[in-house]
Every structure is written in C-alpha cells, then in structure tokens.
Amino acid sequence: IQIYNNAIRNNPTNYDLYYNLGMTYTMLNDFQKAKESYAMAAEINSIIYHSKYSIGLLNLIYGDLEEAKKDFEECLSNEEEESDSYYYLARIAIINGELDKAIAIYTQIIEADPKPNNVVLCVIYKHRGMAKFAMNQFEDALEDFISSCECDKSSFRSFYYAGIAYSVLENDEKAIEYFTKSIDINEYQAHAYFRRALTYYHMNDYTKSMSDLRRAISLGLEDEETRGLHNKLLTKLGLDF
C-alpha cells in the first residue's frame, strides 16, 4: 500500500495505480478505502469499466442494491459485451423480486454475440432456470437446466435441479436418472440423496428409498422431512414395531 501511495504522489493521474491500490485494499477487506481508490480510478478514466464494476461489487457487499445497479449499468454503457455486469443486474432483479426482468437479462447474456463460453453459459442457464422455476414455469425451467448440463457435464447442481424439475413434472424415471448423474459427480450431496429417496418412495421402491435416506442422514441432513419419510418407510417395510 505504501508503495502505491508513493507512486500516486509522483503520478496522481495514473489509472492503474489507483485501481491496483483498490484491489489491494479489497484483499485486505478494507472495503471503504478500496471503494475510494476505485472511485479515483473511475474519475481518471471513466471509459475503462473495471473500476466501476469493482465499486458495484462493493456496493453489493454493503447491501446498497440501487447504487450497485447504477454502477453495473454504467459499466454496460461503456462495455456492452461485459456479461458479468448483466449477471449481477439479474441477481439484483431477483433480490428485488423482479423475476421477469431477471429472465430477460439472462436471455440477453445467452443471446449475446459473441456468445459467452460454456462455463458462463452453464451458470446463466442454471440461474434462468431457477428464476423460471420460481415462477412455476417448470417445463421451461427444465429446458434451461438441461442446457446448463450440456454446457458443463461436471455441474452436479445443474443435474440436481433438472432432477427436481422432472420430479415436479412427475417424471420419476428421469428424475432418478438426473439425481443419479448428480450424485455420480459429487457423492457428498445430502439433498440429492434425499430427493432421490423421495422419488424412489413415489415409485414404491422402499428399499432403495431407505438406502438413500440413510445416506442423506449420514451426510448431516436430519430434519422434519427426513424424519417423516423415515417413519413412512418403516411402516412400508414392516419395521415399525
């Protein structure tokens, strides 16, 4: 920090010095000084979006959604292809309960030219699917979750969410398939085991259901829902004596 401050005294209009000083303060969790440094960088060069973007992230940390929204919108006025700003604007819209707006922003990112890479698309499809799911648009949500899976076949959460969507749509076999794919990628998901246990229960496969339920409990998931399913399974398996 002292090195940057000394350099700034000799060159007070250098954008990079203020921006790098802001990054240093950020890493030290001194967010107020980081914000001041980024603001100075933005004042020196308002065309480069990185400083305003960093201020937007800090405003999110502070919970100042309106200021964060202004910062990200300003980023887009200078860098139309800057998809990260669109992403956070969508997140702010979701926090504010504006799901339609969030879906529109996610769609804008997906349809961007040039197209984002598959890692980014995996995340965006997943979040758009979650927004649609929250609006009870289950079939559309499922399409997005599957697209997310196709963009990144290691995304266990995308497979998990697809499994949930299939469950809601009462396609138990496909739900099992996607829960299993998710578990194959990451075997330490208590909720995935629990959801698969529920699905097996609906398919009258009580032995597999109990096996998955026990696995979910062993991973730390023990609540009213797990206890309720456990009691039902004990009855179905004739073990409630």
Side-chain angles (χ1 to χ4, degrees):
I1 289 174
Q2 189 60 48
I3 293 173
Y4 283 126
N5 282 327
N6 289 338
I8 286 169
R9 275 193 286 272
N10 294 324
N11 194 350
T13 59
N14 187 298
Y15 172 92
D16 289 334
L17 289 174
Y18 277 108
Y19 181 76
N20 290 333
L21 179 60
M23 289 182 66
T24 304
Y25 277 127
T26 300
M27 287 187 287
L28 293 171
N29 293 329
D30 191 339
F31 299 134
Q32 184 55 44
K33 288 185 178 178
K35 190 174 177 180
E36 291 170 3
S37 299
Y38 291 136
M40 285 299 300
E43 188 175 320
I44 292 168
N45 191 333
S46 61
I47 302 300
I48 302 176
Y49 74 89
H50 297 92
S51 51
K52 266 295 180 181
Y53 175 78
S54 298
I55 293 172
L57 292 178
L58 291 175
N59 279 325
L60 278 181
I61 291 173
Y62 284 124
D64 194 340
L65 300 183
E66 284 304 312
E67 284 301 311
K69 181 180 176 182
K70 291 177 185 177
D71 293 327
F72 294 129
E73 287 174 343
E74 191 169 335
C75 290
L76 295 174
S77 69
N78 295 325
E79 294 280 345
E80 285 298 327
E81 73 278 9
E82 210 289 289
S83 61
D84 284 352
S85 292
Y86 280 116
Y87 171 77
Y88 284 109
L89 285 171
R91 298 302 298 161
I92 291 169
I94 286 176
I95 293 170
N96 289 332
E98 300 170 331
L99 295 177
D100 281 328
K101 185 174 182 179
I103 290 170
I105 295 172
Y106 288 137
T107 301
Q108 193 170 358
I109 298 173
I110 291 168
E111 296 176 352
D113 185 20
K115 209 168 187 65
N117 63 51
N118 279 349
V119 174
V120 172
L121 284 173
C122 172
V123 174
I124 300 305
Y125 273 119
K126 179 172 62 181
H127 283 287
R128 191 175 72 170
M130 291 167 68
K132 290 177 178 179
F133 192 92
M135 296 180 70
N136 297 329
Q137 298 173 8
F138 302 126
E139 291 184 356
D140 289 342
L142 176 60
E143 288 183 11
D144 277 350
F145 293 143
I146 291 175
S147 294
S148 180
C149 295
E150 291 172 349
C151 289
D152 183 357
K153 297 188 184 303
S154 67
S155 177
F156 59 90
R157 288 190 179 88
S158 299
F159 284 100
Y160 171 69
Y161 290 137
I164 290 178
Y166 273 123
S167 293
V168 172
L169 293 169
E170 299 182 347
N171 189 334
D172 289 334
E173 289 186 2
K174 295 296 289 186
I176 292 292
E177 177 186 337
Y178 275 81
F179 287 139
T180 300
K181 287 179 179 179
S182 180
I183 290 167
D184 286 345
I185 298 167
N186 180 355
E187 62 179 317
Y188 300 104
Q189 298 180 80
H191 285 91
Y193 280 105
F194 176 69
R195 291 294 173 185
R196 194 171 69 173
L198 277 176
T199 308
Y200 277 133
Y201 181 86
H202 294 149
M203 297 173 72
N204 301 323
D205 194 335
Y206 305 126
T207 301
K208 287 183 179 179
S209 180
M210 179 64 86
S211 176
D212 273 354
L213 180 61
R214 285 173 173 164
R215 180 63 172 149
I217 293 171
S218 74
L219 289 169
L221 183 62
E222 190 166 3
D223 55 18
E224 188 173 336
E225 276 192 296
T226 56
R227 287 190 291 272
L229 180 58
H230 187 257
N231 290 336
K232 289 179 181 178
L233 285 168
L234 290 176
T235 300
K236 294 293 185 180
L237 294 168
L239 302 173
D240 57 338
F241 47 83

